[in-house]
């Protein structure tokens, strides 16, 4: 087969596609006129973890070829090309006293990719996800170019629509005003899950940003111990002398190269347990008002270039779930199950989301989101995550499509109940099914999947190792 081999950030499941450099909107429009069986898809910087930016046997438009462009008006409305990265936007906005309304854990995502995933940051409980701040989108669909505002159904089908409604070529984003490029951070180290949830529930609303780094390998009395950090943009008066002289300076360090590969067996339960212990201990028990740079607080992983290669040849996956408020028991049982199964997962991320938006497939909604990176390899991983997915569905939750590489299609409609409505809106813009992706085919997003069993069934619990907790389905609630 011709074309280039592509993977997501997790470096699993490579597939080949013909790459077309989207040098200008006319190239995009021309590519969408084709009716080849395998279709067309936009790709940004490939930071989606799974197969969302892959299109096996079809065409992939590389949107970075459009080039970055940013203009900012006096009200802080930025007009950006879809190829502009969050990094580009921060660099253009900060010197003028503006900041991005939402940033993910890396600056290396394009605006096109950010819209397609309706990305969230550490401020979802206050500011919502990205699309709450997008005023206008220019989208090229297979039926022609469209200018969309929040009053259009197609705007909301594109928000979190994983590139399947067309190709975003530009967007207008409302920035937020800041007076410095620093944040003032409060840190609390919690002893267990109850304390973690209590600290975050009681205090989050007093901070714009909040996140918990949760140790998903500790068990017993330490189950769910975390480092909770919460922050607000710092005022000039909070900065130390030399920083106050240039309060909007933004000069992140050049990333250090990651080791090209991890020696076989390095990422095992013992080494990751030791890493999690060290990570937990190095955090202050309680600290108030520590001044940190934007890179330190929002994008620590950007300091290591190509860190995703450190997981070795087999790659890794990220499992990110939403568990609605009121189902904290399920969250606890999931964390117990992960810890007792001894699945090697690095320190995970826990956030408290605020209300969702009108995006049919937008991921965030009121509840807790937990995200865990895990190296692919251990045989227990697939059955364990299948089992946990069912617990997520039973609690009314879902998994984040921008991170997914392995969800079973039978669960998708239960997780995203507005999928049929999304399909109708999408079909008006793409009646002949030109837009397509590996993710869409795997999950039956476009046409629906005909499951062998009409309803998701509770699967029997996988055999558990001695001393491990029984499967979630067998646990009393
Ligand atoms: C270290 C790390 C941390 C992250 N942290 C967060 C986080 O905190 N919050 C969060 O929400 N996400 C997070 N993500 C996920 C990331 O924000 C999303 O996957 C985002 O979509 C990646 O953007 P990209 O430019 O790399 O797009 P790609 O990965 O290339 O593509 C992702 C999707 O966007 C579509 N797409 C890309 N460009 C366009 C376009 N111009 N028009 C239409 N569709 C398009 C693709 O078809 C695909 O479906 C993180 C990822 C990494 C690697």
């Amino acid at each position: 087969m011709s074309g280039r081999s592509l993977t997501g950030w997790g470096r699993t499941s490579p597939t080949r596609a013909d790459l077309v450099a989207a040098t200008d909107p006319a190239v995009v429009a021309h590519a969408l006129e084709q009716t080849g069986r395998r279709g067309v898809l936009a790709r940004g910087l490939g930071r989606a973890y799974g197969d969302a930016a892959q299109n096996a046997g079809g065409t992939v438009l590389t949107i970075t070829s459009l080039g970055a462009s940013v203009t900012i008006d006096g009200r802080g409305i930025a007009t950006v090309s879809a190829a502009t990265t969050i990094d580009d936007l921060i660099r253009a906005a900060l010197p003028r006293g503006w900041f991005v309304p939402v940033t993910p854990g890396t600056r290396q995502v394009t605006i096109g990719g950010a819209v397609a995933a309706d990305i969230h940051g550490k401020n979802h409980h206050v500011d919502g996800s990205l699309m709450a701040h997008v005023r206008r989108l220019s989208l090229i669909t297979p039926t022609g170019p469209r200018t969309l505002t929040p009053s259009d159904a197609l705007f909301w089908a594109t928000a979190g629509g994983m590139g399947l409604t067309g190709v975003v070529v530009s967007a207008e984003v409302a920035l937020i005003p800041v007076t410095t490029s620093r944040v003032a951070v409060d840190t609390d180290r919690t002893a267990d899950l109850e304390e973690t949830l209590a600290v975050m529930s009681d205090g989050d609303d007093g901070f714009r940003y909040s996140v918990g780094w949760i140790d998903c390998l500790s068990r017993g009395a330490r189950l769910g111990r975390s480092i909770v950090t919460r922050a607000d943009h710092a005022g000039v008066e909070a900065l130390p002398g030399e920083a106050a002289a240039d309060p909007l300076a933004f000069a992140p360090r050049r990333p250090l190269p990651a080791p090209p590969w991890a020696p076989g067996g390095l990422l095992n339960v013992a080494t990751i347990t030791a890493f999690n212990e060290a990570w937990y201990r190095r955090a202050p028990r309680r600290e108030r008002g520590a001044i940190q740079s934007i890179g330190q607080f929002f994008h620590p992983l950007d300091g290591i270039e190509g860190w995703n290669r450190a997981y070795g040849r087999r790659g890794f996956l990220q499992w990110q779930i939403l568990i609605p408020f009121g189902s904290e028991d399920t969250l606890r049982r999931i964390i117990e199950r992960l810890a007792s199964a001894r699945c090697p997962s690095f320190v995970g991320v826990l956030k408290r989301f605020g209300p969702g938006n009108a995006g049919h497939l937008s991921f965030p909604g009121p509840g807790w989101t937990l995200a865990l990176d895990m190296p692919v390899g251990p045989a227990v991983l697939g059955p364990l995550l299948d089992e946990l997915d069912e617990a997520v569905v039973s609690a009314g939750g879902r998994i984040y499509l921008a991170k997914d590489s392995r969800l079973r299609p039978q669960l998708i409609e239960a997780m995203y109940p507005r999928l049929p409505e999304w399909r109708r809106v999408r079909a008006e813009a793409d009646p002949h099914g030109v837009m397509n992706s590996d993710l869409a085919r795997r999950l039956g997003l476009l046409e629906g999947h005909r499951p062998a069993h009409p309803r998701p069934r509770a699967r029997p619990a996988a055999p558990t190792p001695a001393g491990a907790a029984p499967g979630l389905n067998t646990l009393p609630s």
Side-chain angles (χ1 to χ4, degrees):
M1 191 194 286
S2 66
R4 267 270 308 278
S5 177
L6 298 171
T7 70
W9 188 243
R11 303 177 72 236
T12 54
S13 312
T15 56
R16 299 185 87 81
D18 288 326
L19 295 195
V20 173
T23 45
D24 68 62
V27 172
V28 174
H30 181 69
L32 297 192
E33 281 165 13
Q34 67 143 313
T35 50
R37 209 166 49 84
R38 304 292 289 187
V40 183
L41 183 74
R43 179 179 174 98
L45 280 172
R47 259 40 178 205
Y49 278 68
D51 49 5
Q54 295 171 228
N55 187 22
T59 300
V60 166
L61 289 164
T62 55
I63 300 300
T64 46
S65 308
L66 270 178
S69 73
V70 182
T71 56
I72 301 174
D73 72 13
R75 298 164 304 145
I77 306 292
T79 303
V80 290
S81 75
T84 305
T85 64
I86 295 287
D87 185 65
D88 296 326
L89 185 50
I90 292 176
R91 286 175 197 274
L94 258 180
R96 297 176 223 190
W98 300 105
F99 189 60
V100 289
V102 172
T103 176
T106 172
R107 294 188 299 280
Q108 303 306 327
V109 306
T110 63
I111 291 296
V115 166
D118 188 16
I119 57 163
H120 57 269
K122 298 178 168 81
N123 55 339
H124 189 274
H125 61 295
V126 173
D127 293 315
S129 52
L130 179 72
M131 295 308 280
H133 309 272
V134 173
R135 301 289 168 86
R136 199 178 293 271
L137 282 180
S138 292
L139 182 75
I140 301 183
T141 75
T143 48
R146 305 280 292 271
T147 300
L148 302 173
T149 67
S151 59
D152 295 299
L154 190 56
F155 177 98
W156 293 109
T158 302
M162 303 312 295
L164 297 165
T165 59
V167 177
V168 176
V169 288
S170 68
E172 282 179 25
V173 183
L175 304 173
I176 60 168
V178 291
T179 52
T180 76
S181 58
R182 311 296 165 98
V183 284
V185 185
D186 285 6
T187 300
D188 291 279
R189 215 168 69 182
T190 62
D192 57 24
L193 186 64
E194 273 58 49
E195 190 185 355
T196 305
L197 300 186
V199 166
M200 293 180 80
S201 304
D202 293 347
D204 267 13
D205 292 339
F207 298 84
R208 187 162 212 156
Y209 303 102
S210 171
V211 66
W213 296 88
I214 183 165
D215 175 1
C216 280
L217 278 174
S218 58
R219 294 181 279 187
R222 295 172 173 176
L223 184 90
R225 67 180 182 175
S226 301
I227 304 159
V228 179
T229 51
R230 289 169 301 178
D232 282 302
H233 291 280
V236 180
E237 69 293 342
L239 302 193
E242 74 283 10
D246 189 2
L248 291 165
F250 178 63
R253 271 185 310 143
R254 274 179 59 120
L256 301 168
W261 47 269
L266 184 68
L267 295 171
N268 56 39
V269 177
T271 54
I272 295 180
T273 302
F275 171 85
N276 285 3
E277 179 71 25
W279 185 259
Y280 179 78
R281 295 279 160 216
R282 78 189 259 283
R285 213 178 278 277
R286 185 177 190 278
E287 186 178 54
R288 294 291 175 261
I291 298 297
Q292 291 186 7
S293 69
I294 279 164
Q296 275 173 303
F297 182 71
F298 292 106
H299 317 115
L301 287 169
D302 283 355
I304 306 166
E305 194 167 348
W307 59 265
N308 59 335
R309 295 184 174 274
Y311 282 91
R313 274 188 304 114
R314 286 170 128 173
F316 70 113
L317 60 84
Q318 187 172 100
W319 189 66
Q320 182 167 0
I321 56 166
L322 166 71
I323 297 289
F325 292 133
S327 293
E328 284 75 10
D329 281 0
T330 302
L331 181 64
R332 169 177 251 283
R333 290 202 299 277
I334 286 174
I335 294 169
E336 271 168 4
R337 187 77 179 90
L338 284 163
S340 60
R342 311 313 287 152
C343 241
S345 62
F346 278 112
V347 172
V349 174
L350 184 69
K351 294 180 197 160
R352 242 180 98 247
F353 278 158
N357 63 24
H360 307 79
L361 303 188
S362 182
F363 169 68
W368 300 94
T369 182
L370 174 70
L372 293 175
D373 282 356
M374 294 177 234
V376 169
V380 295
L381 189 59
L384 174 71
L385 294 183
D386 283 351
E387 177 197 330
L388 298 186
D389 287 340
E390 302 220 5
V392 171
V393 167
S394 302
R398 61 177 77 115
I399 69 139
Y400 189 14
L401 296 179
K403 307 287 177 74
D404 181 52
S405 54
R406 44 143 303 277
L407 179 68
R408 287 180 304 129
Q410 288 86 349
L411 300 186
I412 190 71
E413 293 208 13
M415 289 186 173
Y416 287 92
R418 295 183 66 207
L419 196 56
E421 190 188 339
W422 176 80
R423 285 186 187 125
R424 282 193 295 279
V425 177
R426 201 204 77 82
E428 283 170 28
D430 181 18
H432 303 297
V434 172
M435 307 309 302
N436 217 327
S437 70
D438 288 2
L439 175 87
R441 278 185 286 266
R442 178 168 57 80
L443 293 178
L445 291 179
L446 301 186
E447 71 290 341
H449 177 82
R450 284 177 198 82
H453 309 288
R455 291 183 59 245
R457 282 187 320 154
R459 284 151 52 100
T464 50
L472 272 163
N473 293 325
T474 65
L475 282 176
S477 47

